[in-house]
Each structure stands twice: as structure tokens, then as C-alpha cells.
Amino acid sequence: MTETVAEIVAAHRAGTTSPAKTVARSFRRIRDHGDPAIFISLREESEATAEAEALTARGDTSLPLYGVPVAVKDNIDVAGLATTAACPAFSYNAKQDANTVARLRAAGAIVIGKTNLDQFATGLVGVRSPYGIPKNPVRSDLVPGGSSSGSAVAVSAGLVPLSLGTDTAGSGRVPAMLNNIVGLKPSLGLMSTFGVVPACRTLDCVSIFSLNVDDAVTALNVMAGLDAADPFSRDRTVGPLTEFPAGVRIGVPRKGQLVFFGDRESEKSYGDAVARLVALGATIVEINLEPFYETARLLYEGPWVAERYLVIRDLLASNPDAIHPVTREITIAGARLSAADTFAALYRLEGLRYTARRTFESIDAMVLPTAPTAYTVEQVLANPIELNSRNGTYTNFVNLLDLCGLAVPAAMRADGIPFGITLLAPAGHDAQLASIGRVFHADTKLAVGANGLKQPPLAPLSKALAADEVAIAVVGAHLSGMALNHELLALGGRLIAAADTTPDYKLYALRGTVPPKPGMLRVEAGGAAIAVEVWALPTKAFGAFVAAVPSPLSIGTVHLADGSSVKGFLAEAAAIDGARDITHFGGWRAFMAAQTKSA
């Protein structure tokens, strides 16, 4: 079975199937699945098939999404199809593709259709649409999650391997948990929002649903990039995937700060997920979650509701009955907010952002439940606003604080309810979260989606330097798991390989350094090979890293045993006077282990 993006692309390249056959399979599965609430509109199958055949005729099999069928949330423009935002009275015919859709197509993807959503992307439940409620394929009585309900269900049910959602308050994460799939919420501005109907324009981003993390990252790399047509676009890069970072510091809330609304099974599943991260090599650090809760309350109790009101105020004035009653109730509050309210909230938000930055100085990432529990359609329809709000407990603050997030499945409960976690980090650390999340998800050995499919083995990572990376050899406190390794991780560094120097170096334990550091010096005689690690740093980060290296250390050229040379840590000769010669240990890690053993 070829179900993941990677498997489908590999099959197309090998000729065991074709893009046209894969597109036909998607349409056949949509018909067989028989849920008319998933898609608001579909392309003509003949048109999509012709596009797939033309792609094959061009012969460019190297395209990263060669022949992959994708679904697009119906608040994102696809040329030739209507954009409704789940409101027929708002509908318009899109004249051109959104930037993200254009990039997907340029990479070889074939758009199948537009998916259902909570109207105007306002909601986390997936039940606020005149086009019906998509049935959750994992457990049919549960809400599908929103607002990107149709996009998540389409991937979980196996109708397409990849889909686009949007995420302002959690719409790319909550549906991922409830459908047992991956939801990637990128850093704000990393992907353009040109051609996207705004919810809160200052906070919106396009999100990605897939069966595994690697597929989501493939799509992210395709769609990321500065867009002059989007003033909110930022010049950010994704960065490469790495092995699971040794000793990565994961923040978890203090005891008693998490809420599960009485759901003991979800509470246990979260504890099990944290234990799994520890077993994989993470270090757990307690954090104070209260400032994040306070930020979350700002989203719907503060002036950002006015952004939602701006989008539909004309329709509210001319045809209020065209808007879903719950959506109308939420957004109309935006008309009552004053400029003074807005500035007061902005001032408070800036203080909370400062607190968040300080929190992330002690951790590399945070792990939270994606949602505290799961509700049925019946429960949500009976109590639509409160239960929706509960779904956003751990998601509403994320974009306000300019964080990136990755939602991954963590458990399938005995009652058939999926549970997931979300990894969070400051903007720009998308690849770091993916590097953690892909290993975590694989380690669960959970089936993916709703059809019981086994996860494919993790693909080996490339060790080659990317065009925008610089190699640097580290010898001491920056080694994996050592005291300063987090500095490399924070700058987007990735481990390429363990290596040895040529046999003409000496290693010394420097005096008075905190944390303890070694100094390595190249010598004419009496040297030995010293164990180092070669890391790749983004070129943009290299200068900042070098500038922060304190005397008596410096960055020079380090010669490796394989004949190559890279930039790396060396020591000033004057610092060696009186320092202990530890060359015979062969490296800093062996020396530190010996110190611990003798202590």
C-alpha cells in the first residue's frame, strides 16, 4: 500500500503506479467513503487526471511532491474553484491560486478539492458549517475538530495523503489529535497567507496535515519562503531534520497546572508521553504555565475578536442570518471593543511575550496535551461555546506568543479515543520540533490515521551539508548532551557526525571556566587524535555563534582524520599555561566520565 507522501512519490518514480492512477484512487475513495460533508467542492476528475497525465509527460520525476493528491481548506484560494469559508453568501470564484497552493502545484502536487471548515475558521470543533459535519473516521460520535475539519478527516480517512488547513487558535492541531494524524503549525510568516481568507490576519498561518512528520516537513519545505505579496511574510528558513537531540530540554507544567476536565485517561496518556520523551533522551524541566493561560484568554476575551469582525462586518450588516449563529455570537463582540481596549491588551501581551522568552531560555521545547479531552458531536451541539473553548486550552496562546507547534499522535485509548501531544518552541525552530516529533511518533508504533495503517520506518537523514549551512567541530561543552549543546540547537544546528581529528592535537582542561571547558591546540609533536562532533549551523546563525565564543577559546580550522577540514573550537596558546593535559583521555566526554566516576 502506498499511503504516505514519500511512498507515493517513490512509487511514481519507480513506475509501479502513475500520478493519474493515484489521482483516480483518491476520487474513487472519496466516492466509496460516502461522506458529503468532507469536501465543499471537488474538481472535475477528468481535469485533475489530465493534469496528472501532463505532469507525467513532462518527465520531471525529481519534483518533491510528484503526483501527490492534496486537499485544500476552503478558506484558501484554488484557481477555478469557489472559496466559501463555509458561508455560501460570502462565496467568490478564485482567479488565482494562493501562494501556498501555487507552490504545491509547482512541486508536483495535484489539488483534488476544497474541504469543509468551521465557518470563517472560527471554532475548534468542526460542527459550525452549513455544509454539514464531517464524520470523525476514528470514532464516529466524536467531533472531527476544527476549524480545519474536512482537511484533517480527508487525510485520516486515506482520501488524500496531504492537506492544507489554517491555524489561528489551534485549527491545525486539535483536528490532528482527534483524527490520529500529524498537524504542523509553522512559524508565523514562514508560509505566505496570500490568498487566504483572514480569521485574525496578524495571527493566521497555513497549516499542514499528514500521516507522519516527514511528509509534513516535505510539504513545509515546498511552501516556505518570503512572499512580496504578503506583508506578514517573513524571511525564515525551515532548516534540516536531525537525529533526536541528546539531552534536549523539554518543559512540562508544574504539578497541578494541567487541566483535563476530569478525563483521567487523557491525563494518564500525557504522563506516558512525557515518560516516552525521557526514555528517548529528553531532560524534563518544570515550567510555569500560568502566563501562557493568561495569554490564551486574551485571544477571545481581548481585541483580537475585532479582527474576525473586520472580515465579515459587511455581511453581518447586510445579511446576518447568512452567518452561523455561534460564529455570529462570537464575532459580533468585536464591534464593541475600543482602541483603548486594544492598546491595553497589546501592552499586556508584550509583557507576556517577555515572560515566554524567559521561559524558553531554560528549555528547548515545551510539550503539552494537544487538547485536554475529546467531546462528542452531541455534547458540543448542546454546549457549543464552552466545550469549544476547552479544546483551545493548550492552543490559543501559541500564535499570540509567536511560537511554532507540531501536533503528533501519542496514544490510542482503550475507548477508541485518540490522544496527542503538541511540541512548542519559539518561531524559527520548526525543524527542531520535527526532529523530536518524528522520533517520538515512530517510537509509539501507533497505526496512522483511521485505517489501521502501520507507520513506515523512519527514513535515514541526510548527513550532507545544505547550501545554507556551515560545518563546525565542537570538542567540549557543546557536544551532544553537554552543558552548552542547547546553544547549537537554539540556532538550528544539527549533528552531522562524530569524528576524530588528525593525530597532532593536545587537549587541556582549562582553569576557571563555567561550565567546565577544554582547550584544544594543534601541536608539532606529542599530539593525538581527539574525539569531536561535527555540527551543521545555518549560515545566518554562524556569525552570531562565533561572536559569542568567549576568550580564551576561538574558532579556527580543525583538521579531521578523514582528510577534511572544518571550522572548530581551538584555544589560545596562553591559556594552556598551567592547564591540565588530558590528551590521553582522547576527548572531553571520556574525561568528564572519568571525573564523574572518581567523584
Side-chain angles (χ1 to χ4, degrees):
M1 297 288 288
T2 52
E3 300 291 346
T4 67
V5 168
E7 289 171 327
I8 288 169
V9 170
H12 291 170
R13 289 171 177 167
T16 56
T17 190
S18 69
K21 289 179 180 178
T22 300
V23 166
R25 183 181 74 165
S26 277
F27 279 98
R28 183 173 64 253
R29 286 184 172 183
I30 291 167
R31 290 191 294 270
D32 292 346
H33 190 68
D35 183 353
I38 297 173
F39 286 89
I40 291 177
S41 62
L42 286 168
R43 294 179 70 190
E44 290 292 334
E45 182 174 354
S46 59
E47 177 187 305
T49 301
E51 185 178 328
E53 289 171 343
L55 180 70
T56 301
R58 291 206 305 269
D60 189 0
T61 61
S62 66
L63 293 171
L65 297 176
Y66 179 58
V68 173
V70 299
V72 178
K73 185 176 180 178
D74 198 15
N75 61 341
I76 303 172
D77 288 347
V78 173
L81 294 177
T83 299
T84 73
C87 181
F90 176 83
S91 178
Y92 61 88
N93 290 318
K95 300 286 194 251
Q96 66 180 108
D97 288 333
N99 179 277
T100 46
V101 173
R103 287 173 180 259
L104 284 177
R105 281 180 154 161
I110 311 291
V111 175
I112 298 298
K114 307 290 292 296
T115 54
N116 204 354
L117 64 150
D118 278 328
Q119 191 177 75
F120 292 111
T122 300
L124 291 170
V125 284
V127 304
R128 301 173 180 174
S129 170
Y131 295 96
I133 301 171
K135 185 172 289 187
N136 188 314
V138 177
R139 210 180 96 162
S140 61
D141 61 328
L142 297 179
V143 294
S147 60
S148 309
S149 53
S151 287
V153 169
V155 170
S156 180
L159 311 182
V160 292
L162 184 70
S163 66
L164 297 188
T166 60
D167 191 313
T168 303
S171 298
R173 291 161 278 158
V174 170
M177 184 188 97
L178 293 172
N179 288 278
N180 190 39
I181 59 174
V182 167
L184 190 156
K185 190 220 80 67
S187 299
L188 293 178
L190 181 58
M191 294 195 296
S192 171
T193 54
F194 174 81
V196 177
V197 177
C200 295
R201 196 176 179 200
T202 59
L203 302 177
D204 294 338
C205 64
V206 175
S207 63
I208 301 166
F209 295 110
S210 59
L211 293 174
N212 62 21
V213 176
D214 284 6
D215 284 356
V217 172
T218 296
L220 179 62
N221 277 308
V222 163
M223 291 183 285
L226 192 64
D227 179 14
D230 176 14
F232 293 92
S233 181
R234 301 183 187 179
D235 188 11
R236 287 174 161 164
T237 56
V238 177
L241 294 173
T242 71
E243 303 296 341
F244 191 93
V248 64
R249 302 166 302 165
I250 302 290
V252 300
R254 295 172 182 170
K255 188 174 182 180
Q257 286 193 324
L258 286 171
V259 290
F260 294 93
F261 301 101
D263 191 334
R264 295 291 181 85
E265 283 298 312
S266 283
E267 185 173 7
K268 179 183 181 300
S269 295
Y270 175 75
D272 292 344
V274 172
R276 185 180 300 279
L277 287 166
V278 172
L280 288 170
T283 298
I284 299 303
V285 179
E286 276 199 353
I287 59 169
N288 180 14
L289 198 61
E290 181 50 42
F292 296 86
Y293 283 142
E294 183 179 349
T295 306
R297 290 191 289 271
L298 283 177
L299 187 63
Y300 283 100
E301 296 173 13
W304 285 271
V305 178
E307 285 199 273
R308 295 183 185 272
Y309 171 73
L310 275 174
V311 177
I312 60 172
R313 63 180 174 181
D314 291 342
L315 191 58
L316 273 169
S318 64
N319 188 7
D321 291 339
I323 300 172
H324 191 282
V326 179
T327 305
R328 186 170 64 239
E329 180 181 348
I330 292 167
T331 50
I332 204 165
R336 299 190 289 268
L337 292 157
S338 69
D341 294 330
T342 300
F343 279 106
L346 287 172
Y347 298 156
R348 183 61 192 132
L349 178 59
E350 203 57 40
L352 291 165
R353 284 174 172 170
Y354 175 79
T355 300
R357 288 193 296 270
R358 292 293 302 272
T359 298
F360 278 100
E361 288 175 2
S362 62
I363 59 175
D364 302 304
M366 180 191 303
V367 63
L368 295 173
T370 299
T373 186
Y375 293 110
T376 66
V377 172
E378 182 180 7
Q379 288 172 316
V380 169
L381 291 177
N383 189 4
I385 293 180
E386 182 183 5
L387 299 193
N388 182 90
S389 178
R390 289 182 181 183
N391 270 355
T393 300
Y394 303 116
T395 61
N396 285 347
F397 62 81
V398 172
N399 282 353
L400 283 168
L401 296 177
D402 199 12
L403 307 178
C404 55
L406 178 69
V408 293
M412 185 60 71
R413 295 166 28 167
D415 56 8
I417 294 177
F419 176 80
I421 59 167
T422 294
L423 295 158
L424 300 167
H429 292 79
D430 305 77
Q432 178 183 319
L433 294 187
S435 299
I436 299 167
R438 70 191 294 269
V439 176
F440 174 90
H441 188 204
D443 193 66
T444 67
K445 297 180 173 59
L446 287 169
V448 293
N451 296 326
L453 298 171
K454 289 184 178 180
Q455 292 189 54
L458 279 180
L461 298 176
S462 172
K463 296 294 185 181
L465 276 178
D468 60 348
E469 289 181 318
V470 177
I472 184 167
V474 300
V475 67
H478 287 90
L479 292 166
S480 301
M482 294 291 185
L484 297 182
N485 183 248
H486 66 91
E487 293 182 356
L488 287 170
L489 296 174
L491 291 170
R494 65 183 179 102
L495 178 63
I496 294 180
D500 291 321
T501 68
T502 50
D504 50 357
Y505 286 87
K506 278 187 167 290
L507 193 66
Y508 298 86
L510 300 178
R511 294 176 299 171
T513 56
V514 180
K517 300 183 186 75
M520 188 169 73
L521 197 65
R522 196 176 187 198
V523 295
E524 292 186 0
I530 304 298
V532 298
E533 287 179 352
V534 179
W535 283 69
L537 270 179
T539 304
K540 289 182 179 179
F542 183 74
F545 182 77
V546 172
V549 173
S551 177
L553 298 177
S554 63
I555 300 296
T557 299
V558 174
H559 301 273
L560 301 179
D562 64 1
S564 64
S565 299
V566 295
K567 297 303 176 186
F569 279 88
L570 295 170
E572 299 168 5
I576 304 308
D577 292 342
R580 179 181 173 186
D581 186 341
I582 59 171
T583 306
H584 61 284
F585 285 96
W588 183 246
R589 199 183 297 279
F591 169 72
M592 292 296 285
Q595 296 299 104
T596 301
K597 188 175 181 180
S598 63

